[in-house]
Amino acid sequence: MQISLENVTYVYGEGTPFEKEAISNLSLTIPQGAYVGIIGQTGSGKSTLIQHLNGLLKPTSGTLRMGDLEINRKTKQTREWRRRVGLVFQYPEHQLFEESVIKDVMYGPLNFDMPADMALLRAREALNIVGLPYDEFKDRSPFQLSGGQMRRVAIAGVLAMQPQVLVLDEPTAGLDPAGRKAILEAIYGIHQEQKLTTILVTHSMEEVARYADMLVVMAGGQIVMQGKPEDVFIQAERLRSLALDVPETVSLIHKLNQRLPMDQQIPLTLYREEELERHLLAMLTSGKGVRR
Amino acid sequence: MNQEAIIVADKVTFAYETDQQEKVYVVNGVDFAIGAGSFVSIIGHNGSGKSTLAKCINALLIPEQGVLTVSGFATNQESSVWEIRCRVGMVFQNPDNQIVGTTVEDDVAFGMENMGVEPSEMRRRLEEALQAVNMLEYADRQPHRLSGGQKQRIAIAGIMAMRPTVMILDEATAMLDPKGRKEVMELAHFLNQTEGITVINITHFPEETLLSDRVIVMNDGKVYADGRPDEVYREVEQLQRIGVDVPFAVRLRHRLINQGVTTLDPVLQQEELVEQLCKSLLRT
């Protein structure tokens, strides 16, 4: 499902002394099936943007469109919009509340009037997708699980609603490397399988480098850069000036290219670690400079 | 390093009890001695016992077995708890959960007020601490209007003002953006070097541990590895098997070596890897 924003502005506390424009005249089109990474410093407007994407906030001015639906300042009913867009908040495990894992995952679908047997089926699928086998976990209390498992239950709760667009706000904050990978791989799997449109907000350049096919960089409530990852990463200085950074792979390529002759320059399109590794291996073993 | 030990753990064990009255050992027979003035990083997967261990150090949790001492005060002695808490400051993960004051000044002064520091002395330390974390110009601001990195710096200033001998950062950078992370880590190293504060940094980011004097790897409640970063990160596969990542440069070199490249010496930092790669690639 394609989502587009046209000249969207949002003002917090309109008409009060604390009035603040969080996003300003922002336009963006997210194509159907894209995996978009949104990056930006704390306070850059990322959270305000994604709360618009799932219909939690209505723009002060401007319009959002998705298929036949539209949200503007005057829109009353956003239920159908919210049914199509699933949002996984930061630290979603704080919102678990049911006595068993299965009840918690079924809560969302039931709340959107799905019949109980259907909700159960969806919940079962969703748990398997996030790597928590249904039979093993369904009756356990969510509060007896590890932090990473709790978070996966919360994500399953959103997946069970079968959204067409999935928005994730820092889904891996505070998890260890194995937990981060498990969650992101599960999300990437379902993104591809169900042809979802996925939007990932993160502070980790490594994560967007691995999964995203489009990057949106925010600063001061506006989109300051967007495009394919390699086109964004090439502007390392600009990213640093926005308090951001480039992935380790990109920084390594930059440093190597400064020292290597023209015919050995490494293309920036190799920002994924495995691809860079393959390229370096080929360079090192091609006989060029290496005695074996 | 030949320093006097400031924190000594002697067979420290801690268990939680589940609803079914089963004991789950999260820290299981841990021994170590941390030298005064050192910078130690603790890494390990979620549930490996890192944070529990940290809470044992400042007597928030008392070991079920074994003894943990800070400057000679045992945490299991009721009478020592105050002494320990005055010496060990702790910065937690979520900056919003540890701000108590309505202004930056109030927040930083909170700990000192609890300790009963003289008002004139308090004023002096307040300015000094805010200066140290480079937040003096924010003294009158409301903390909730600051960035995550700024809030963590305020939390650290509050600890500084209490004149601790040990500062524990318990995943203090986990919620911050790259700039905020950098600010907090630079500040921790600065305080370690200039004030001689012993720093214990608990983290999931291996890159953050590279400048430490020592890295302790926890796994299933036990110390799995303990040494200088270059020693610890030699065992790439073993670490990855227990859910611990290694720094990027270490990982990439390791993979290249495993596929038959013989010309790369061990590295820790990215710059070292660049050096090694160029040495090989430009040797024609």
Side-chain angles (χ1 to χ4, degrees), chain A residues 18 41-42 90-91 144 173-178 180 203 243-245 248-249 251-252 255-256 259-261 264 273-274 276-277 280-281 283-285 288-292, chain B residues 18-19 45-46 93 145 148 171 174-179 204-205 207 243 245 248 251-252 255-256 259-261 263-264 270-271 273-275 277-278 280-284:
Chain A
F18 300 106
Q41 205 185 353
T42 313
Q90 260 183 48
Y91 293 84
Q144 298 266 316
L175 297 184
D176 63 21
R180 287 205 287 266
H203 284 318
L244 298 169
D245 215 337
E248 295 268 1
T249 46
S251 137
L252 184 75
K255 285 179 192 153
L256 285 171
R259 312 247 316 248
L260 293 172
Q264 287 192 52
E273 199 167 318
E274 289 78 9
L276 176 61
E277 177 192 323
L280 286 172
L281 188 66
M283 284 174 83
L284 287 164
T285 53
K288 218 179 228 172
V290 180
R291 279 172 306 212
R292 298 206 64 203
Chain B
T18 67
D19 285 358
H45 63 80
N46 282 119
Q93 188 179 123
R145 291 181 180 268
E171 293 187 43
M175 297 184 71
L176 307 181
D177 54 31
K179 187 183 174 201
H204 283 314
F205 297 106
E207 324 295 328
D245 210 353
F248 168 72
R251 186 169 63 234
L252 188 54
R255 292 230 196 98
L256 292 170
Q259 295 171 81
V261 177
T263 50
L264 303 174
Q270 203 190 80
E271 284 73 17
L273 182 61
V274 171
E275 206 52 52
L277 285 169
C278 286
S280 293
L281 293 168
L282 298 173
R283 206 207 306 174
T284 31

Side-chain angles (χ1 to χ4, degrees), chain B:
Chain B
M1 234 172 298
N2 207 355
Q3 309 145 310
E4 195 186 332
I6 189 163
I7 301 169
V8 181
D10 182 16
K11 300 186 188 59
V12 169
T13 296
F14 186 87
Y16 288 105
E17 214 162 88
T18 67
D19 285 358
Q20 290 79 39
Q21 267 85 53
E22 287 163 36
K23 277 190 176 173
V24 181
Y25 284 89
V26 277
V27 175
N28 201 348
V30 167
D31 291 308
F32 60 69
I34 289 176
S38 57
F39 195 112
V40 180
S41 292
I42 304 184
I43 56 175
H45 63 80
N46 282 119
S48 62
K50 308 181 301 287
S51 289
T52 306
L53 196 59
K55 289 182 184 124
C56 284
I57 296 174
N58 84 335
L60 280 174
L61 297 175
I62 308 298
E64 185 188 87
Q65 289 164 43
V67 180
L68 204 150
T69 57
V70 178
S71 298
F73 293 99
T75 59
N76 59 9
Q77 301 295 313
E78 189 92 26
S79 55
S80 309
V81 171
W82 177 258
E83 297 295 336
I84 291 166
R85 297 262 170 83
C86 290
R87 285 176 169 76
V88 183
M90 201 149 168
V91 184
F92 294 97
Q93 188 179 123
N94 190 338
D96 294 320
N97 292 350
Q98 45 197 327
I99 300 280
V100 291
T102 49
T103 65
V104 166
E105 254 186 9
D106 284 353
D107 194 77
V108 175
F110 181 80
M112 289 191 285
E113 282 169 350
N114 275 344
M115 288 169 71
V117 175
E118 286 288 313
S120 58
E121 172 67 8
M122 213 189 288
R123 172 59 44 198
R124 214 173 56 75
R125 289 197 202 175
L126 182 72
E127 277 177 24
E128 199 183 87
L130 283 174
Q131 186 87 58
V133 302
N134 203 12
M135 289 291 287
L136 196 52
E137 60 196 294
Y138 292 86
D140 303 327
R141 300 282 192 91
Q142 293 169 290
H144 71 270
R145 291 181 180 268
L146 303 175
S147 74
Q150 288 173 328
K151 284 180 199 164
Q152 290 298 60
R153 276 150 61 192
I154 297 299
I156 292 174
I159 287 166
M160 285 290 300
M162 293 163 74
R163 296 267 192 278
T165 41
V166 179
M167 182 165 75
I168 303 176
L169 306 171
D170 189 1
E171 293 187 43
T173 63
M175 297 184 71
L176 307 181
D177 54 31
K179 187 183 174 201
R181 269 172 65 189
K182 203 159 156 242
E183 285 172 1
V184 169
M185 289 316 296
E186 279 173 0
L187 176 59
H189 279 285
F190 175 78
L191 296 176
N192 173 253
Q193 276 152 21
T194 58
E195 310 281 324
I197 293 175
T198 307
V199 177
I200 299 176
N201 182 36
I202 298 174
T203 183
H204 283 314
F205 297 106
E207 324 295 328
E208 268 182 18
T209 67
L210 291 176
L211 298 175
S212 309
D213 300 316
R214 179 174 166 193
V215 178
I216 296 176
V217 183
M218 292 289 296
N219 183 43
D220 293 338
K222 293 190 161 67
V223 173
Y224 179 83
D226 183 350
R228 291 195 317 269
D230 61 308
E231 296 167 340
V232 168
Y233 290 125
R234 226 171 268 164
E235 314 294 340
V236 177
E237 271 132 30
Q238 286 90 325
L239 290 172
Q240 286 177 338
R241 205 169 302 133
I242 62 162
V244 170
D245 210 353
V246 299
F248 168 72
V250 175
R251 186 169 63 234
L252 188 54
R253 172 193 173 264
H254 181 79
R255 292 230 196 98
L256 292 170
I257 294 281
N258 270 3
Q259 295 171 81
V261 177
T262 52
T263 50
L264 303 174
D265 291 340
V267 296
L268 265 186
Q269 311 268 3
Q270 203 190 80
E271 284 73 17
E272 296 167 330
L273 182 61
V274 171
E275 206 52 52
Q276 288 294 318
L277 285 169
C278 286
K279 214 173 75 190
S280 293
L281 293 168
L282 298 173
R283 206 207 306 174
T284 31

Side-chain angles (χ1 to χ4, degrees), chain A residues 115-152:
Chain A
D117 52 344
M118 179 70 96
L120 181 65
L121 194 73
R122 296 275 170 83
R124 184 180 186 142
E125 278 172 15
L127 281 170
N128 288 332
I129 289 169
V130 297
L132 300 174
Y134 170 78
D135 291 323
E136 189 183 331
F137 284 92
K138 65 177 165 47
D139 296 324
R140 294 185 50 187
S141 162
F143 302 102
Q144 298 266 316
L145 303 176
S146 76
Q149 289 171 334
M150 283 168 79
R151 193 166 301 178
R152 281 190 264 172

Side-chain angles (χ1 to χ4, degrees), chain A residues 213-268:
Chain A
D213 41 42
M214 170 179 171
L215 292 189
V216 171
V217 182
M218 295 203 52
Q222 290 180 324
I223 293 173
V224 289
M225 295 159 87
Q226 66 169 302
K228 282 190 288 194
E230 60 262 39
D231 297 336
V232 171
F233 292 148
I234 204 164
Q235 307 181 55
E237 281 316 306
R238 180 109 189 269
L239 284 168
R240 287 195 191 104
S241 74
L242 297 167
L244 298 169
D245 215 337
V246 292
E248 295 268 1
T249 46
V250 173
S251 137
L252 184 75
I253 295 173
H254 275 302
K255 285 179 192 153
L256 285 171
N257 281 349
Q258 279 169 14
R259 312 247 316 248
L260 293 172
M262 281 318 284
D263 63 335
Q264 287 192 52
Q265 293 283 304
I266 302 169
L268 257 182

Side-chain angles (χ1 to χ4, degrees), chain A residues 51-97:
Chain A
Q51 287 178 64
H52 278 87
L53 290 178
N54 110 314
L56 273 180
L57 292 178
K58 280 182 280 189
T60 307
S61 65
T63 309
L64 283 101
R65 284 182 222 283
M66 170 172 57
D68 52 340
L69 301 178
E70 183 181 314
I71 294 184
N72 58 37
R73 185 188 178 98
K74 296 203 180 77
T75 306
K76 293 271 182 320
Q77 191 54 274
T78 56
R79 189 177 163 86
E80 177 54 22
W81 184 292
R82 283 185 289 115
R83 204 183 57 75
R84 289 189 200 171
V85 182
L87 171 62
V88 178
F89 283 97
Q90 260 183 48
Y91 293 84
E93 62 273 25
H94 294 170
Q95 299 163 39
L96 299 175
F97 67 99

